[in-house]
Amino acid sequence: ETQTLVPTLRSKCLPSLLLASMFATLGLVHATYDTGDLFVSHASRGGGFVAEGRPIYTMTFFEWVMDVPLMMVLSGYCAMGRPISELSGPVVVTNIYIIFCWASLTTSSATLRWSLIAMSWVMYTWASREMLGWVSNYERTAPQDLPSRSLRPVLSVGLIALFFVYGMVFTASVTGIMDAHSERMFYLCATLTSKLAFSIAFVIIRADEYHQMLTGVLKKVSISNIGMVSIMRGTFDLLLPCTVDA
C-alpha cells in the first residue's frame, strides 16, 4: 500500500536528481551575475512607482521558472505521492504569474504593470488553494504508518508561505519600499535556505523509510528464526517408549 502511494519508494533517485538540478541552476544563475553581462539584468523603463533605470534581475526570474516547478514536484509528487495530473495546473499557473511579474517590470505603462501584478496575486491565490488540496488529499489517503507522515505536507505548506513572502518583497520593491540590491540579496538567501531545507527534509524522509524497511526485515527474520528453531526442535526430539500396565 505504501509502495503504491509514494512514488519515491519506487524511484529513489528522483528527489536527489531534482535537488541537484536546482542547486546547479542556482549556481549557474549567480555565476552569470558575476560576469556583468548586459543580458543578466536590464534597466527598468520606470513609471508606476518604479524608478527609471532600476535593475531588473532577469536571471532570477529565469531561475524561478526552472526551479519552482521542481520544488512543487518534490513537495507534491515525491513527498506526498500526488499524481502529476493533480500537480500540473498549479505548476503551470505558478510559472505564468512568475513571467507576469517579470513582464510588469519591463513595461513603462503603470496600468499594465499593476494589472499584471494584480493578476499574479490572483493566480497565486488559486495555485495556493490547489496546493492545500494536495495536503488535504494526502491526509485523507496516506497510511498511518507512512515514514515521516507529518513532515511531508509541511513542504507544500512551506512553499505557499515562501511564495507569499516573495510576492510581498516583490511588491515592496516595485513600490520603492525596498531597493533593488536588498531585494536581490533577500531572494538569494531565501532561495538557498529553502533548497537546503528541502534537502534536509528528504534526508529525514529517506532515513525514516530505510529505518522502517530495516525494522520490517528484522521482524521477518526474527519470525523465521523462531520457526526454524521450532522445526529443529521437532526434528531432534527424543521419542521415549511408553508402556501401559494392564
Side-chain angles (χ1 to χ4, degrees):
E1 183 179 3
T2 301
Q3 289 276 353
T4 303
L5 179 70
V6 185
T8 48
L9 296 180
R10 299 194 303 268
S11 178
K12 300 288 186 181
C13 296
L14 181 58
S16 300
L17 178 62
L18 296 181
L19 287 167
S21 299
M22 291 193 304
F23 279 107
T25 304
L26 179 64
L28 175 64
V29 166
H30 289 280
T32 57
Y33 280 126
D34 296 332
T35 64
D37 196 314
L38 292 177
F39 294 100
V40 172
S41 61
H42 301 75
S44 171
R45 298 180 181 180
F49 299 104
V50 178
E52 185 75 26
R54 180 186 176 88
I56 302 172
Y57 297 110
T58 300
M59 290 300 291
T60 297
F61 290 91
F62 169 78
E63 177 200 342
W64 290 345
V65 169
M66 296 296 293
D67 285 354
V68 166
L70 300 184
M71 297 181 77
M72 296 175 74
V73 169
L74 280 168
S75 64
Y77 177 75
C78 296
M80 295 191 296
R82 307 318 308 157
I84 294 297
S85 59
E86 190 174 320
L87 272 63
S88 57
V91 169
V92 171
V93 169
T94 299
N95 262 8
I96 290 174
Y97 74 68
I98 290 174
I99 296 172
F100 277 9
C101 288
W102 172 81
S104 70
L105 298 177
T106 62
T107 179
S108 58
S109 169
T111 302
L112 178 58
R113 171 174 292 118
W114 288 107
S115 296
L116 290 171
I117 293 174
M119 285 190 290
S120 297
W121 276 110
V122 170
M123 286 188 284
Y124 161 79
T125 302
W126 180 86
S128 298
R129 187 187 64 180
E130 292 297 306
M131 292 173 70
L132 290 176
W134 303 349
V135 176
S136 177
N137 293 335
Y138 164 81
E139 293 290 350
R140 188 172 59 254
T141 58
Q144 293 299 319
D145 63 343
L146 184 67
S148 301
R149 189 182 190 278
S150 59
L151 174 62
R152 296 170 187 265
V154 172
L155 297 178
S156 291
V157 176
L159 277 184
I160 294 172
L162 178 66
F163 296 163
F164 176 78
V165 175
Y166 275 1
M168 294 300 294
V169 170
F170 175 80
T171 305
S173 175
V174 171
T175 55
I177 298 175
M178 178 180 290
D179 62 84
H181 177 72
S182 299
E183 179 191 18
R184 181 191 166 193
M185 288 299 100
F186 170 82
Y187 290 150
L188 173 60
C189 294
T191 300
L192 182 59
T193 301
S194 62
K195 291 178 180 179
L196 288 174
F198 263 65
S199 300
I200 293 171
F202 274 95
V203 167
I204 295 173
I205 291 172
R206 184 68 69 242
D208 282 352
E209 288 174 352
Y210 279 120
H211 178 267
Q212 186 182 74
M213 180 184 67
L214 290 175
T215 302
V217 170
L218 291 175
K219 187 179 296 184
K220 291 180 180 178
V221 170
S222 176
I223 294 173
S224 299
N225 286 341
I226 293 174
M228 185 62 67
V229 170
S230 299
I231 293 173
M232 293 179 65
R233 284 177 177 173
T235 302
F236 293 100
D237 279 347
L238 296 177
L239 298 177
L240 299 178
C242 299
T243 58
V244 179
D245 294 334

